[in-house]
């Protein structure tokens, strides 16, 4: 099992939007953004399930899951793969974990359960721009200008 690095844990704290991939019954991919992602510990990620019927159905059939997190300004991030399990509201473990989601206020009250990913593999992702010598500072500056609509951001 690959442990989540400090960088990975910090990225999830800064950008809790993870893109969760599961497999549909017909073998096609299901990709779903989850905005309540948190690090449980060095080997587990979790998110609050609010409105994810396809993801849950897919995990019941096949617990394999991948989550990708991206720092869109730095153009880097990581992917974490492993097996997921669902902890439903009303279970003791849910009661122990739900306080960790308090930062989402009223939205946390809508969490039906918690999906926990046991990370078996965690790998960094970087833009090919780094291969060409771009630095994180270069990319942050470029993409910040672009999002702000400033010159030099195209």
């Amino acid at each position: 099992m690959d442990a989540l690095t400090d960088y990975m844990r910090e990225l999830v704290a800064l950008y809790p939007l993870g893109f969760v991939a599961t497999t549909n019954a017909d073998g096609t991919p299901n990709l779903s953004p989850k905005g309540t992602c948190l690090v449980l510990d060095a080997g587990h990620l979790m998110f609050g399930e609010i409105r994810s019927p396809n993801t849950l159905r897919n995990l019941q059939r096949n617990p394999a899951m991948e989550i990708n997190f991206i720092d869109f300004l730095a153009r880097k991030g990581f992917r974490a793969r492993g097996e997921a399990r669902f902890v439903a509201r009303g279970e003791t473990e849910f009661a122990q974990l739900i306080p960790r989601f308090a930062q989402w206020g009223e939205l946390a009250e809508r969490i039906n359960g918690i999906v926990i990913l046991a990370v078996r593999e965690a790998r960094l992702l970087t833009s090919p721009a780094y291969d060409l010598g771009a630095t994180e500072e270069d990319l942050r500056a470029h993409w910040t200008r672009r999002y702000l609509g400033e010159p030099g951001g195209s």
Side-chain angles (χ1 to χ4, degrees), residues 83-109:
E83 288 193 358
R85 63 185 178 86
F86 181 70
V87 178
R89 180 178 284 279
E91 294 182 27
T92 301
E93 188 177 12
F94 180 92
Q96 294 168 345
L97 294 173
I98 195 63
R100 308 252 325 249
F101 293 86
Q103 64 187 306
W104 283 284
E106 285 184 42
L107 191 59
E109 296 171 18

Side-chain angles (χ1 to χ4, degrees), residues 73-148:
L73 293 176
R75 293 303 202 250
K76 64 182 184 177
F78 75 97
R79 67 173 14 128
R81 293 182 183 154
E83 288 193 358
R85 63 185 178 86
F86 181 70
V87 178
R89 180 178 284 279
E91 294 182 27
T92 301
E93 188 177 12
F94 180 92
Q96 294 168 345
L97 294 173
I98 195 63
R100 308 252 325 249
F101 293 86
Q103 64 187 306
W104 283 284
E106 285 184 42
L107 191 59
E109 296 171 18
R110 296 186 55 214
I111 293 175
N112 303 308
I114 298 168
V115 175
I116 300 174
L117 176 68
V119 177
R120 299 289 177 242
E121 179 182 13
R123 297 286 179 250
L124 293 175
L125 300 171
T126 59
S127 167
Y130 287 100
D131 299 342
L132 300 174
T135 66
E136 182 174 330
E137 294 75 25
D138 294 337
L139 292 172
R140 280 189 182 285
H142 170 80
W143 289 105
T144 298
R145 286 191 305 272
R146 179 158 182 183
Y147 285 116
L148 295 175

Side-chain angles (χ1 to χ4, degrees), residues 11-24:
L11 184 63
V12 175
L14 185 60
Y15 297 111
L17 176 63
F19 295 89
V20 172
T22 59
T23 305
N24 293 316

